[in-house]
Amino acid sequence: MIPTTPIASTSPVDISSEISSRLNLAIKEHLLAAYAPDSIKQLRLFPAQEVCDLIGISHQYLRKATVEGAIPEASEIKHGRRYYTGQEVWELRQLLDARSKTPGRYLPSRREGEPLQRIQVMNFKGGSSKSTTCIHLAHYLALQGFRVLCVDLDPQASLSAMCGLQTELDESIDTVYDAITYHDPISMKDVIRETYFPGLSIAPGGLMLSEFEAESAKLNSKQQPFFARLHDAIMSVEADYDVVLIDSPPSLGFITMGGMAAATSVIVPLTPSMLDVASTAQFLKMTSSYMEVIERSGAKLVYDNYRLLVTRDEPVDTPSQTIVAFMRALFQERVMTATSLKSTAISDAAMLQQSIYELNRSDLTRATYDRAKASMDAVGKEVENMVLEAWGRI
């Protein structure tokens, strides 16, 4: 039961402690009510036409391959329409690729000599849609057939929750901290968990990541540099993934800098308001200084891409579009062509700890759903092209 009596103490220490305790208890009770510990997130079914669009085949080809027995029948048939699970879509890609005369046509996985793509999403301005961007990119790339790993570096663990893990409720869940701590770390492979979304795994975040900041501040010369720990942890599972998405905390500390050293590309999401643009400018100025510190410590930072992503974009809002135009004129190709729209569909999905890809089109007004999905598809496609270009395929 959460206490509702006034806080009697006048001591700032006691007041802060009491407020913290009440808030933590209230948040935990809310999470228990909204997300039962034994609940499991499940992915929706995909209608046959959507499956064809995702894989890049015609509906006729899908039916022909099914009739010939090359691929199994859909798990559900309702009113003459076929619906596939996410796992079935993933398996269809593998089966179709195996019978294709062009290996890799349906599975874009890394080939020999192609480096693991590690994309850090970072900004210390709250509300810039970092975690929302990460989960949408993760779901988009997984649906395209990439093997994706999300690394949640945020102690608030929002990305982990979107992947179906409530680290606040289950203290037995190992987090990224357990793999990068200086004191008896465990292997990254033991931290990573598969999610309900085929092709997507998660290295969860949690409150203990805050301890890494304190540990790194006490670093001595005999210990592995802080900036190498996350990089080495990720590279220990390199063979299992094509793309790694790193969600950084809204701060510029040792954890975020570790992400910088581990990344091959950086995406900075920002909303088109002058306050956010000014905040991002300060963030990037500090980032530049910190990058110099990392390089002087022995790390070599080389990025395939360093891009700004406009989020919560409102095409009909003149002031925000003025800022978008200003950014594009100032930084040109550094600003991604695609933008993430400000949409009730995306906001509603985020409230349910979901992405637009988890919603059924019938759940929303079709025009609203289509606009939101087209926006996230465009962002995802642009990032996919960054990955393919880094591999030398385009």
Side-chain angles (χ1 to χ4, degrees), residues 28-135:
K28 189 166 186 176
E29 289 193 0
H30 167 73
L31 288 171
L32 284 169
Y35 311 102
D38 58 350
S39 67
I40 299 175
K41 286 192 74 173
Q42 293 182 330
L43 186 58
R44 66 178 174 86
L45 296 175
F46 294 82
Q49 188 56 58
E50 186 177 2
V51 172
C52 292
D53 293 340
L54 283 170
I55 298 177
I57 58 175
S58 67
H59 195 273
Q60 290 77 9
Y61 182 78
L62 178 66
R63 290 303 308 139
K64 181 175 181 290
T66 304
V67 171
E68 292 175 350
I71 58 176
E73 182 59 272
S75 62
E76 289 199 29
I77 301 177
K78 301 177 183 178
H79 309 295
R81 295 183 178 180
R82 289 167 169 78
Y83 294 86
Y84 295 81
T85 66
Q87 185 60 37
E88 287 173 331
V89 176
W90 186 261
E91 292 169 358
L92 281 177
R93 282 190 178 277
Q94 296 173 318
L95 291 170
L96 290 172
D97 201 71
R99 75 193 302 255
S100 173
K101 295 180 181 179
T102 308
R105 179 177 179 182
Y106 302 107
L107 282 176
S109 299
R110 282 194 300 141
R111 302 164 189 168
E112 187 176 354
E114 294 177 339
L116 175 68
Q117 293 301 293
R118 309 179 297 277
I119 303 172
Q120 182 178 31
V121 182
M122 66 177 192
N123 197 331
F124 70 4
K125 181 70 173 66
S128 62
S129 301
K130 280 191 308 82
S131 297
T132 301
T133 298
C134 269
I135 197 63

Side-chain angles (χ1 to χ4, degrees), residues 208-281:
M208 283 301 294
L209 277 166
S210 300
E211 291 296 314
F212 184 74
E213 297 288 341
E215 291 177 8
S216 296
K218 300 175 183 176
L219 181 69
N220 63 57
S221 59
K222 295 181 180 180
Q223 292 173 305
Q224 182 189 34
F226 75 90
F227 56 79
R229 302 189 73 81
L230 180 64
H231 172 274
D232 291 353
I234 290 174
M235 296 309 289
S236 71
V237 294
E238 174 189 13
D240 299 329
Y241 304 100
D242 304 311
V243 181
V244 177
L245 294 168
I246 305 170
D247 186 21
S248 304
S251 61
L252 194 54
F254 290 107
I255 297 174
T256 300
M257 287 191 286
M260 291 180 202
T264 56
S265 290
V266 169
I267 293 176
V268 180
L270 74 161
T271 58
S273 73
M274 192 51 71
L275 283 175
D276 282 6
V277 169
S279 174
T280 300

Side-chain angles (χ1 to χ4, degrees), residues 220-347:
N220 63 57
S221 59
K222 295 181 180 180
Q223 292 173 305
Q224 182 189 34
F226 75 90
F227 56 79
R229 302 189 73 81
L230 180 64
H231 172 274
D232 291 353
I234 290 174
M235 296 309 289
S236 71
V237 294
E238 174 189 13
D240 299 329
Y241 304 100
D242 304 311
V243 181
V244 177
L245 294 168
I246 305 170
D247 186 21
S248 304
S251 61
L252 194 54
F254 290 107
I255 297 174
T256 300
M257 287 191 286
M260 291 180 202
T264 56
S265 290
V266 169
I267 293 176
V268 180
L270 74 161
T271 58
S273 73
M274 192 51 71
L275 283 175
D276 282 6
V277 169
S279 174
T280 300
Q282 292 301 312
F283 170 72
L284 294 178
K285 182 178 180 180
M286 293 172 62
T287 298
S288 176
S289 299
Y290 279 45
M291 285 179 171
E292 288 182 3
V293 172
I294 296 173
E295 289 191 325
R296 285 201 301 269
S297 300
K300 186 176 182 181
L301 303 181
V302 179
Y303 296 140
D304 296 317
N305 294 281
Y306 197 118
R307 302 289 183 87
L308 304 175
L309 169 64
V310 176
T311 60
R312 304 181 69 184
D313 186 23
E314 297 183 83
V316 297
D317 183 70
T318 301
S320 69
Q321 290 310 296
T322 300
I323 293 175
V324 173
F326 165 75
M327 296 291 289
R328 293 196 187 284
L330 199 59
F331 301 112
Q332 301 176 29
E333 75 280 355
R334 291 290 181 193
V335 182
M336 290 177 60
T337 302
T339 65
S340 171
L341 291 182
K342 182 177 182 180
S343 167
T344 55
I346 296 173
S347 299

Side-chain angles (χ1 to χ4, degrees), residues 54 90 93 106 108-109 117 119 133-150 197-200 242-245 267 357 376-377 379-388 391:
L54 283 170
W90 186 261
R93 282 190 178 277
Y106 302 107
S109 299
Q117 293 301 293
I119 303 172
T133 298
C134 269
I135 197 63
H136 279 89
L137 287 177
H139 286 177
Y140 174 87
L141 292 171
L143 286 172
Q144 304 310 309
F146 292 91
R147 300 170 300 163
V148 182
L149 170 64
C150 281
F197 206 105
L200 175 60
D242 304 311
V243 181
V244 177
L245 294 168
I267 293 176
Y357 299 106
M376 300 317 300
D377 281 348
V379 174
K381 184 63 177 178
E382 192 165 344
V383 172
E384 179 185 4
N385 286 340
M386 290 181 197
V387 170
L388 296 178
W391 288 340

